[in-house]
């Protein structure tokens, strides 16, 4: 009888030990689970906190980007066209109008200016052509920086001083490499003003340093985007894309002939003549814009010397040269 009792006691002891072990394991599992929950909760709180900080930074950044647009729009003296967004050179009574959308950082725009400048100025001087310049900031968006904006503001300040055409040409003649945002520095823009007689005045310096026309430039760029141009330069002669006809690309000589024909009243400016003319300019495709979806018939001129949109350049509905 005693042996049976001893065996029962041993079994009870073993069961009790197993039960304690199981209970201990269960407690440990619960403890581990609570610990994991706390760790995960802390991590989630940390992530949410980081997200909140990032969101705040992003929100503030967005607000900063809109500061130029939020400021009152101060158009330069004599600005013309819809919403006074164009700066006009040449005689207002000229029968032909060349509309040019340009960015002072855009290499393609420089190529257009270098090839057409002499012809355009000659036609202006003869009273046959006026040019409406629209200033945009495409390269600032593509390549980052503020050179397009600051240079456009400075050009508008030159318009206030009655010196826009000369300063416009100086900016393109001295254009830095596309990746060098040299025009972001007001000091450089003021230095170049010294090349235009009578431009470097206290009023001009104040206008440049204060960004007086920044909001006007921003509004001009908005109009460029709304028009669905594919890039810069976009060039229209009497409302028509001058490079739409790839089989018969416009050249400086053909531009001259078209404007002269329009002055004689035979409508030649609407359809550039197919004369031999001079060979198409080098670097004659527009730089590609981030909004390159729209009026797809837009231009590329005959040869390309610059890099495409990936380089930060833009392309054009009516462009003449391509980054």
């Amino acid at each position: 009888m005693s042996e049976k009792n001893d065996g029962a006691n041993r079994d009870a002891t073993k069961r009790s030990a197993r039960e304690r072990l199981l209970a201990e394991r269960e407690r440990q599992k619960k403890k581990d689970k609570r610990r994991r929950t706390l760790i995960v909760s802390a991590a989630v709180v940390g992530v949410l906190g980081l997200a909140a900080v990032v969101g705040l930074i992003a929100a503030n950044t967005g607000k900063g980007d809109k500061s130029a647009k939020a400021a009152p729009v101060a158009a330069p003296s004599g600005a013309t066209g819809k919403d006074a967004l164009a700066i006009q050179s040449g005689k207002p009574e000229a029968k032909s109008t060349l509309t040019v959308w340009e960015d002072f950082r855009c290499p393609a725009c420089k190529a257009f200016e270098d090839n057409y400048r002499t012809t355009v100025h000659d036609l202006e001087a003869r009273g046959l052509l006026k040019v409406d310049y629209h200033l945009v900031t495409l390269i600032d968006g593509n390549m980052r920086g503020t050179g397009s904006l600051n240079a456009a503001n400075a050009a508008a300040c030159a318009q206030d001083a009655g010196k826009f055409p000369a300063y416009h040409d100086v900016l393109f003649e001295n254009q830095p490499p596309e990746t060098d945002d040299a025009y972001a520095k007001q000091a450089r823009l003021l230095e170049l003003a010294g090349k235009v007689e009578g431009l470097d005045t206290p009023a001009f310096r104040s206008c440049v340093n204060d960004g007086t026309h920044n909001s006007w430039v921003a509004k001009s760029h908005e109009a460029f985007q709304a028009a669905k141009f594919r890039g810069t330069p976009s060039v229209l002669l009497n409302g028509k894309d001058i490079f739409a006809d790839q089989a018969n690309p416009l050249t400086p000589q053909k531009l001259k002939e078209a404007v002269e024909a329009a002055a004689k009243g035979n409508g030649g400016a609407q359809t550039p003549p197919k004369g031999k003319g001079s060979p198409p300019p080098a670097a004659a495709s527009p730089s590609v814009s981030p909004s390159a979806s729209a009026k797809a018939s837009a231009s590329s001129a005959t040869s390309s010397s610059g890099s495409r949109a990936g380089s930060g350049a833009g392309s054009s509905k009516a462009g003449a040269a391509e980054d």
Side-chain angles (χ1 to χ4, degrees):
M1 195 67 181
S2 61
E3 291 180 359
K4 288 182 180 180
N5 289 336
D6 289 342
N9 289 335
R10 284 195 297 271
D11 289 343
T13 301
K14 288 180 181 179
R15 283 196 302 273
S16 178
R18 283 198 299 269
E19 289 170 355
R20 286 196 301 273
L21 181 59
L22 290 172
E24 181 62 28
R25 286 178 178 174
E26 191 62 30
R27 282 195 298 272
Q28 189 62 39
K29 284 181 181 179
K30 291 180 180 179
K31 184 178 179 181
D32 290 343
K33 184 176 180 180
R34 284 195 300 272
R35 186 167 53 118
R36 285 195 300 270
T37 300
L38 289 173
I39 292 173
V40 171
S41 298
V44 169
V45 170
V47 170
L48 291 176
L50 179 61
V53 172
V54 171
L56 180 60
I57 292 173
N60 289 335
T61 300
K63 291 176 183 177
D65 291 342
K66 296 176 183 176
S67 60
K69 300 177 184 178
V73 175
S77 176
T80 187
K82 183 180 179 182
D83 296 327
L85 294 179
I87 294 177
Q88 189 173 95
S89 65
K91 298 178 180 178
E93 63 271 18
K95 287 191 176 181
S96 290
T97 302
L98 195 69
T99 303
V100 182
W101 297 79
E102 290 184 314
D103 183 325
F104 287 110
R105 285 183 70 186
C106 165
C109 300
K110 174 177 171 57
F112 169 78
E113 288 294 335
D114 289 348
N115 280 285
Y116 286 81
R117 182 180 296 117
T118 300
T119 300
V120 168
H121 286 337
D122 176 66
L123 292 170
E124 286 178 323
R126 293 166 59 193
L128 304 180
L129 180 72
K130 59 181 176 289
V131 184
D132 287 342
Y133 290 99
H134 296 263
L135 309 181
V136 301
T137 58
L138 182 61
I139 306 303
D140 281 357
N142 288 356
M143 299 294 289
R144 305 297 181 188
T146 59
S148 300
L149 173 63
N150 291 358
N153 172 68
C157 295
Q159 170 67 11
D160 289 339
K163 304 286 185 178
F164 173 81
Y167 189 61
H168 164 275
D169 291 353
V170 165
L171 288 176
F172 277 116
E173 289 165 355
N174 293 272
Q175 184 188 78
E178 186 181 16
T179 54
D180 178 5
D181 194 19
Y183 285 170
K185 300 175 182 177
Q186 279 92 352
R188 177 57 176 160
L189 298 170
L190 294 172
E191 178 187 357
L192 291 176
K195 295 179 177 291
V196 179
E197 185 178 357
L199 178 58
D200 190 3
T201 64
F204 175 79
R205 285 178 168 265
S206 176
C207 183
V208 170
N209 289 325
D210 294 345
T212 299
H213 299 299
N214 281 357
S215 292
W216 176 82
V217 175
K219 190 170 182 180
S220 178
H221 186 74
E222 288 175 357
F224 168 79
Q225 292 176 312
K228 304 296 185 181
F229 290 108
R230 292 179 59 211
T232 54
S234 289
V235 186
L236 310 175
L237 177 60
N238 296 329
K240 289 195 68 173
D241 173 359
I242 70 171
F243 287 107
D245 185 358
Q246 293 298 297
N248 178 38
L250 195 74
T251 64
Q253 177 62 26
K254 290 179 184 177
L255 173 63
K256 177 176 178 289
E257 293 170 1
V259 171
E260 289 175 339
K264 293 176 182 178
N266 64 9
Q270 294 295 331
T271 307
K274 294 181 178 290
K276 291 182 180 180
S278 57
S285 298
S287 45
V288 175
S289 156
S291 59
S293 62
K295 303 179 181 178
S297 62
S299 70
S300 37
T302 52
S303 58
S304 172
S305 68
S307 56
R308 298 224 173 234
S311 75
S315 116
S316 138
K317 170 185 175 183
E322 178 167 330
D323 290 2

